[in-house]
Amino acid sequence: MNAEWRWDFTYEILPKMLWATLNTIMAAGIGYAIAVVVGLIFLIGQRTPYRVINILVREIVEFIRSTPLLIQLFFLYFVGPQFGIILSAWVTAMITIGLHFGTYLSEVYRGALEGVPKSQWEACRALNFTTLYTYRRIVLPQAFPIAIPGMGNYLVGIFKDTPLLSTIGVAELFHAATSVGGEHYRYLEPYTMVGIIFLILSIPAAMGIRKLERSVNKAQGKAKN
């Protein structure tokens, strides 16, 4: 009987699942916003005039990228208190997601900057433009369209990795489904709803990113003409 779909049970748990969906969206959004800023910090740290700082930041980035997100969550949440670092599950989740995906976004930014022709940099130096002006008015407008696909992919990636947050007690979608299933001894409806909700949110997000990419490229093409 447990293998049969029950619509009455589905309607009963729907409010709880929708509330958990809001938590999931919030977790992904805040985590991504932190990752965007952290990625910029890591990028700047690897482009300073000081070789020691460049190497140190590079090693930190490689270390974070080379370890699983789940291990980082567990270490900060369960091991951190032994060193006096006591954080709530939500704060731990946001910091970990921000740091983890910030390293990947820093590589996206680096690749985008390297995608700008060297002649653009040389022309700016020849015209005696300041570094800030060069980045703000010349380089970044050309690098941004290159970075959009990678940034969009990691936004979707963060969203799909939010179920890992349930391992430290964050009340996101997967955590809610597990809780409901354990309480009622029915997992068919809650886990199916999780998959459907992720599809409903992920597909439009991916389509929106592609639309943004086309719009930016189109606007850039008009500017060149």
Side-chain angles (χ1 to χ4, degrees):
M1 293 297 294
N2 287 337
E4 296 179 0
W5 185 271
R6 283 179 48 191
W7 285 106
D8 59 330
F9 181 62
T10 301
Y11 296 137
E12 178 185 344
I13 67 174
L14 182 59
K16 185 172 184 178
M17 300 298 291
L18 291 178
W19 183 257
T21 300
L22 292 178
N23 287 340
T24 297
I25 294 173
M26 184 169 65
I30 296 175
Y32 185 74
I34 295 174
V36 167
V37 176
V38 169
L40 288 173
I41 294 174
F42 282 144
L43 174 67
I44 294 172
Q46 296 180 71
R47 297 177 69 87
T48 68
Y50 309 102
R51 180 174 175 80
V52 175
I53 295 178
N54 295 347
I55 295 175
L56 178 62
V57 174
R58 182 65 187 174
E59 291 303 317
I60 292 174
V61 168
E62 289 301 320
F63 174 77
I64 295 176
R65 290 177 63 199
S66 300
T67 53
L69 176 60
L70 183 61
I71 298 301
Q72 295 168 10
L73 281 169
F74 275 25
F75 189 87
L76 185 58
Y77 190 68
F78 294 111
V79 181
Q82 299 182 26
F83 298 92
I85 304 174
I86 303 175
L87 303 172
S88 68
W90 265 100
V91 174
T92 300
M94 297 303 98
I95 292 176
T96 306
I97 287 178
L99 287 174
H100 185 82
F101 284 93
T103 60
Y104 289 99
L105 287 178
S106 70
E107 293 301 296
V108 172
Y109 300 153
R110 185 172 65 86
L113 290 179
E114 292 178 354
V116 177
K118 292 184 178 180
S119 59
Q120 299 290 312
W121 299 89
E122 295 170 355
C124 290
R125 284 195 293 268
L127 293 172
N128 202 29
F129 289 162
T130 64
T131 302
L132 179 61
Y133 184 88
T134 298
Y135 274 100
R136 184 168 60 89
R137 298 300 299 272
I138 308 299
V139 175
L140 292 183
Q142 298 180 68
F144 181 62
I146 302 174
I148 288 177
M151 294 178 68
N153 287 339
Y154 286 118
L155 172 59
V156 176
I158 288 176
F159 182 71
K160 291 192 295 184
D161 279 349
T162 52
L164 293 176
L165 306 184
S166 66
T167 58
I168 60 172
V170 175
E172 48 73 57
L173 190 55
F174 185 78
H175 183 274
T178 303
S179 176
V180 168
E183 181 181 352
H184 298 275
Y185 299 101
R186 290 193 62 89
Y187 293 93
L188 173 62
E189 292 85 359
Y191 282 154
T192 301
M193 292 173 69
V194 169
I196 293 173
I197 291 172
F198 269 102
L199 281 175
I200 291 174
L201 295 177
S202 296
I203 293 176
M207 293 174 62
I209 292 167
R210 286 196 294 268
K211 184 176 180 181
L212 175 62
E213 181 183 359
R214 289 194 297 268
S215 298
V216 171
N217 289 333
K218 184 177 180 181
Q220 190 179 43
K222 289 182 178 180
K224 290 181 179 180
N225 294 332

